[in-house]
Structure formats: C-alpha cells, structure tokens
Amino acid sequence: MDTAIGTLAPPASVLPNDRVHILKQLERKLLWLSAWMIHNANHIRPNRDGLKVGGHQASCASVISIMAALYFEIARPQDRIAVKPHAGPVFHAMNYLFGRQTIDKMAALRALGGVQSYPSRVKDGPEVDFSTGSVGLGVAMTTFAALMADYVRLHGFAPDVPPGRHIAIAGDAELDEGNIYEALLEGWKHDVRNLWWIVDYNRQSLDSVVPDRLFGRIEGLFRDMGWNCVTIKYGRKLQAAFAREGGEALRRWIDDCPNSLYAALTFQGGAAWRQAVLADLGRSRGARRIIDSLSDEDLGALMTNLGGHDIETVIDTLRAAAADGDQPTCFIAYTIKGMGLPFAGHKDNHAGMMTKEQMGGFREQMGIRPGHEWDRFEGLDLPEAELQAFLDACPFAQKLTPQGRKLTAPMVSVPAALPTPKVAGRKVSTQSGFGDILAEIGRGQGELKDLAEHILTTSPDVTVSTNLGPWVNRRGIFDRHTRNDVFRDAKLASAQRWGMSPKGQHIELGIAEQNLFLLLGAAGLAPAMTGARVLPIGTVYDPFVNRGLDALIYALYQDARFLLVSTPSGLTLAPEGGQHQSVNTPLIGMAADRLASFEPAHVDELAVLLRHAFETMQQPEGSSVWLRLSTRTIEQPSRAVDASAVVAGAHWMVPPREGARIALAYQGPVAPEAFAAFVELAEEEPGAGLLAITSPDRLHAGWLAAMRARRAGERGALSHVERVLAPLAVGAALVTVLDGHPATHAWLGAVRGQRVVPLGPDRFGQSGDIPDLYREYGIDADAILDACAQALLAGPAIA
Ligand SMILES: Cc1ncc(C[n+]2csc(CCOP(=O)(O)OP(=O)(O)O)c2C)c(N)n1
Ligand SMILES: [Mg+2]
C-alpha cells in the first residue's frame, strides 16, 4: 500500500523519542554555534589588517551529527579523541555546552588568546586530547596512542585509570595522506585494539569532489589490515523509502550517482533532484510514487538523508560496534559538506562562508533573537533545566571534572650521574657510548631500577645499527602476546635475543619514520593520556629525521616529551654517500620549538646530556631532547667536564687568554681535526682558545632569551654564550667547524662582534672515506688552519 513517505515508520532505533528530540535540538545548537563562531570572527569582529580570518563552516556542518552522537551518547571520559582540524569550532561549541568553554574564547576564534583555528592541546587546554591541523597525523596518532594505552596497561603502570578507546574523527581527504597507511600497517603488526576511525565521508576535499571509485579501494585496505569496516550510508528516511515499492530502484540510482552530480544536485535542491531522478526513473511506477508524493523541500531532504546526518543511525551503529568487541573499526559515514547551510554540496565550499544576509536568514531559521547569538539554549524548544540535566548526565561530561581532568604521572627518579663506561684514552664513538650507557641502565641495578623500568625504546628498523641491541637483549621487545625468539630456542648463535612479551620495553617499528615520531608523540604524552610516566627514546639515522619531520614537529607541537637519538650523522658516515650524510639536521634542531638539541663529541659529554634528557623530559617547563651522534670513533679525553656548561651548550677545552685574537670552536666528531689544527694554531697564537660546542641550539636560545630579558629591563641578564665568548677581544676571529651546515654557527659573530669563519658541508655529500671527504668539504685540519690564517690575516676587516 502506498503511504506518504513522512508517515512510513523508519527502522527501529534503540533511543527513546524524547532523547532523540533533545539530541536533535543540540545538533541544531552545534550547527548554529560553529557557523556563528566563524561568522563572528570574519564579519563582526573588527579586522585590523585586512587579512581573511577564515574558518570552515561547511566542514563543521558535515560532521555535526557524528560529533553529537559521539560526545553526547557514546564517548566515555577515558576515551581519547582526535577531531578533524576543520571541525575545531564544533568541538569548542560542544565544550561550551558542557560548560567548559567560554564565550570570550569562542568570540576570539583565530585571534590571539582565543580558541585556535584547529584544536590544540597546549593552547586550547586539556579538553583537547590530540592537536590536529596537519591532516592525516591526528588520525594516525590515535593508532599509536592505542598502542601506548596497551603498553601502559600491560606494564601495570597507572592501574587506576580505566582503559579507553582511541577515536579519530577524520575528514575523507585525510585518507590521501600516506602516513595513514604507514600507521595502518604498523597498527596491524602490533595488533592494536580499541581504535575507531570515523570518516566524515563528504566526498569533498579542499579543491574538489573526490573520485567515485576511491572508497571501494580504501575499504578493502582497512579490511586487509584486520579492521572491521562499517558503512553508514543511508539515513532512516531513505531506508524507509527503499523499503517501499520502487525503493530499490531509487537506492540503485543513488548508489550509481557520481559524487560530483550528487553534490551538485544537493546544492541545487529539490526541483533539480526531481528532474534528475525522474529522467532516469520516470518509468518506474513505484519510484515515481515515492517522488511525486513529496514537495520539493521534502524531496531534497529525502535525497540528502545520508547516514552521517542521521544521529539515530550513527548512534545505533557506534553502539553496536562498541558492543561487538575491541577490533579496530573504521566507520565510513556518508555526509554532505555544508549540510544544512546554503552552500551544501557546492564543490567550492571548503572555505566558503555565509554572507551576512545568509547568516541573518539562518539565524531566523534557528529561532535566535538578535543579541542572543551566544546564548547556550537560545532557539531550542525545550526547557533549559531539561537540556542541562541531559548534558550533565552525558558520560563524557565527567571528562574534565576534578577527578577526570588532567592526569599527571609521578616523576621517575634519575640518579645524579649515569653509569659511564671507562673510555679515557680509548677510541670510542658517541653512538657506541650511548648503547653502552643504555645497556648498563638496562641492568636496572640499585638506583637505576626505577629509571630502567620506565624507559621505552623504539626504532624504525634501525635498532641494531643504532646500538640499541644490548638494551633490547636485557629488556625485551614489547608485544601484546608472548612470542619466543625462534633463533634462541633453536640455540642458533645471534647477538640479538629478541623474545617478545607484554613486559618488553622496546617497540620495534618498520622503516617508516613518521610512525617513529607518532609513537614518540603518543608515548611522550602518556602522562597526560594515561597517567603513566614513560620515558621514550627513539633512534633513527640522522638524515632520516627529515623523512619524519612533519610528525616530529607534530609531536613537539603537542608538547610530547621524548628523547630522539639520531645516529649516525653527517659526512662522517663516509662510504654511505650523499643520501645518508645529513647536512641540515643541526639547523632543524635549532629551529624546532620544545626540543633541546645537542651534539656531543665525547662520551663523557654524552653521559651528562643523557642524564639531563631524562630530567628535562619530565619537568613541566622542560622539553624533549635530541642527541645527534656519530659512529666515528675518536680518542676520549681524560678530564672532568663541567656538566652545567655541557648542558648550556659549550665549554672551553683550552680557555683563551683575556683579549685573545682568535678561538677555534668545534662540534661533534670533527673534534680530532679541530684538536690537530689547534696545536698548530696555538704555536702561532699562544692565547688562542679551543671551544667545545655541545649545543648551538641551547646557546642560541639562551642568547635570544638574554636579549629579550635585557630589553624587558633586566639589565644584568647574560647568556651562557655571552659569558663563554667574553674573554675574546672584540673583533677577534672565531673559526667554527661541524659536520653539518655551517650556518649552524655563523650567528655566533652577532653575539659579541666576533668575525666568524664557519666551516661545514653545505652541499650534498658523496661516497668516500673520512680523509677525502673532510678535505673535499673543507673540514679537515688543513682547512681549519687555512681558515684560522685567513681570519687572522684579515684583521678587523672582513675575513
Ligand atoms: C598536511 C596538510 N596539507 C594540506 C592542508 C590544507 N588542507 C586543509 S583541509 C584540506 C582538505 C580537507 O578535506 P577533508 O579531510 O575531506 O575535510 P572536510 O573539510 O571535507 O571535512 C586541505 C588540503 C593541511 N591542513 N594539512
Ligand atoms: Mg571531505
């Protein structure tokens, strides 16, 4: 029997009707507030610089029902959620409804002190679990956070914190980022659990509508990686229509409709839908009945009733998945970009914004009085008390209560000095020194026990070649399942004894450097995410820091705390050639915020810095640490180093005389060349100094800070580098050398007016041995001496 579509009973939902009604009211509120926040920033707030402020009303609109379903019904306080960057305003509106976001901050969206354009843990506050912005990274990060949650649980850290689910709300175009697939593969290897990715499948990216055939492929990829894949395609109105005579033809028509046509018809509205559908299905009596029974407006509403906009369907689907177990699950929720707004479906709507007139119409449609745009419950048809009671009862509302908010983990004690191998007089590399110290910590004896238990190491398939092997032999590889070392069981000789167990402390990764940094990011956030202190150490070849750079910066942006050990580095890798010889990494270390970068030359300095790293990673005002190491063995001095100077970035091997005309400064494994040159230099210039630079980054940061402090009136502020260089005459020469880009040191001339001659490779490397390459790139002893002579001869003129 024929019935009008509106009277057809849609499929049963588990939600009572009054609850659905409240949810729909709150959805309206989220849609309004997110659009208004962006409108206010662009059209109402004074604009002083003429710059477009921006914001993404369409991206917000497409994900309203998904986020409402998640945050109002499904999410629990212990869940950790990454929100697609362009839905930031929806997220802030949600928190506002929960009573933990202010109007002032929302009114200042994208302005200084306001909520950030994209959710930021550090700047927006603890309600943000994962910062997002560089698309793809926030999604992939949830995989590693899920892995870390298992790690923490299986090690018995933070037993009082209930295990949660890790959830990413992803834009569909995020799935174009390669790092997503790297993470999928790695997640499969580690058998990650309790992970959901909910894809806002609006089939639109920034520029355009995405190709139709793409998603079939992507779904297959997820399944191949052991994920469950659930498509949330049609809403309940459409499902009801499909159940009618002719409904199947209608379903086929929509299924076959190209993404771009569907988007265009959505934008055009009901009359266009009627024309297009009838052109194909006009001869199907049933389909015709369905369509003819509807007004243009109702037909438009029916044809755009996709699953991702039907909150009941979304909730039912997520609930069912939650009950189904802990298998990673990808939800492909069909949506329309800009749903409910005038530019819904238009391919150019990514940065599209409603005009003032459109916004006025939208305000009226939402029942909001002028002047009441920010009122929490304005325009909703329910009593405030009822809405408030609903919000208070949402499980997620407990997230930021005094009990639920901001987990912190106890500090791990670090001994006053780390066990340091007796190396004086021997030829040793900083890389092997690192391996030895870590292996010794790995014994976990006495005061090292606490430290040993909380270190987590990881490496993208360079565990052995970065000297982590001995540590791993002692502490084992982490795996959710115990797996024996087959070689060991068969009594086959191997230096690596790699049994895997839930108690292991090394996470072995495949060769995907972005995954390394995402894992370091997740592990480095473990105190806040899980209440457990983990001291993560990641090793990677220095040049391949570049390969994971965006993920490194992403981890730092969130203030994750970890130790990065990059080794080997530079031309010193001689026979390996230009692709392996890093040149730019010291400059990255200087420019990266929340990362203190060091390059020790000798093992005693390394031991000081390693200890410092374990301390500063845990300090609220500390940072992550990067140690650039080398496989070049060099003779180790017998001396007592000044630990504070090593940490501050430089110490004199040979202090200059007061008023010296020249000093030679070296960094890292070129120390022997600097020493040799210095012996000859000192014969000519007895007052010359020899400076060991352990961190151009710390020197530079300290210098900037001192200058800022002096400008702020703190006249006595003085930085380490200013003190170190003070004995040199004004205008004295400073010849600097490192196995890295010379710009790393060139700025030193600005500190006290020294004439710097900076040496270091500034071109791609090539295969060779150290003598040839150091000569070719001008960092051998002869080149250093030539530079000294040039500097001295030039006198006060330009060297
Ligand atoms: C790494 C990176 N590249 C480019 C951008 C610029 N960008 C921002 S959003 C976007 C497209 C997003 O499309 P989608 O993920 O489908 O989100 P939607 O707005 O459709 O929900 C692009 C290319 C970015 N933020 N990050
Ligand atoms: Mg999209």
Side-chain angles (χ1 to χ4, degrees), residues 277-544:
V277 178
L278 290 183
D280 294 331
L281 300 185
R283 268 185 268 146
S284 154
R285 215 166 54 97
R288 196 150 198 139
R289 281 219 187 106
I290 295 173
I291 287 153
D292 287 349
S293 69
L294 298 170
S295 67
D296 279 355
E297 194 183 334
D298 288 345
L299 179 60
L302 175 70
M303 296 302 284
T304 55
N305 178 237
L306 297 184
H309 296 304
D310 181 359
I311 193 161
E312 289 167 88
T313 300
V314 177
I315 291 171
D316 289 353
T317 312
L318 297 182
R319 278 252 163 82
D324 200 31
D326 60 3
Q327 187 185 4
T329 302
C330 172
F331 303 90
I332 299 171
Y334 277 68
T335 56
I336 291 162
K337 195 156 172 168
M339 183 65 173
L341 304 182
F343 40 57
H346 197 290
K347 71 182 178 60
D348 303 337
N349 67 10
H350 181 74
M353 232 169 269
M354 280 186 272
T355 60
K356 281 193 166 175
E357 292 66 38
Q358 286 173 325
M359 198 67 194
F362 184 49
R363 183 182 54 66
E364 276 173 24
Q365 189 191 327
M366 291 282 134
I368 288 170
R369 293 163 294 163
H372 293 263
E373 291 86 352
W374 292 110
D375 294 3
R376 275 171 87 215
F377 300 130
E378 173 79 4
L380 305 188
D381 66 4
L382 289 165
E384 286 198 21
E386 192 177 332
L387 289 163
Q388 189 61 55
F390 177 93
L391 289 166
D392 290 344
C394 291
F396 194 73
Q398 302 308 312
K399 173 149 172 140
L400 294 180
T401 58
Q403 301 80 35
R405 77 179 296 161
K406 253 203 146 169
L407 295 168
T408 47
M411 297 272 195
V412 172
S413 67
V414 183
L418 296 182
T420 313
K422 304 259 173 296
V423 289
R426 286 203 286 128
K427 286 184 89 174
V428 177
S429 72
T430 44
Q431 177 175 310
S432 72
F434 163 71
D436 289 350
I437 296 172
L438 207 60
E440 203 49 41
I441 295 173
R443 285 182 193 280
Q445 304 281 308
E447 59 178 349
L448 290 168
K449 185 169 184 294
D450 198 24
L451 180 61
E453 282 173 359
H454 287 85
I455 289 174
L456 157 68
T457 56
T458 180
S459 187
D461 203 21
V462 290
T463 299
V464 174
S465 50
T466 55
N467 275 44
L468 278 180
W471 156 269
V472 176
N473 284 345
R474 295 221 157 103
R475 309 304 299 195
I477 299 214
F478 172 72
D479 197 287
R480 292 194 334 111
H481 314 280
T482 299
R483 299 180 210 270
N484 290 348
D485 179 345
V486 175
F487 270 66
R488 192 181 185 182
D489 293 350
K491 299 200 166 45
L492 298 174
S494 165
Q496 322 303 336
R497 296 183 294 279
W498 281 12
M500 301 180 182
S501 82
K503 292 287 175 214
Q505 286 180 248
H506 176 77
I507 297 182
E508 181 67 9
L509 297 173
I511 324 172
E513 286 74 14
Q514 297 234 51
N515 282 342
L516 169 75
F517 290 113
L518 288 171
L519 175 55
L520 287 176
L525 290 176
M529 293 280 184
T530 67
R533 179 77 57 187
V534 176
L535 299 174
I537 303 178
T539 65
V540 63
Y541 292 176
D542 191 59
F544 304 131

Side-chain angles (χ1 to χ4, degrees), residues 699-715:
L699 291 179
H700 189 257
W703 176 53
L704 292 187
M707 287 195 293
R708 268 196 299 267
R710 292 197 289 267
R711 283 200 300 277
E714 203 185 312
R715 286 164 157 253

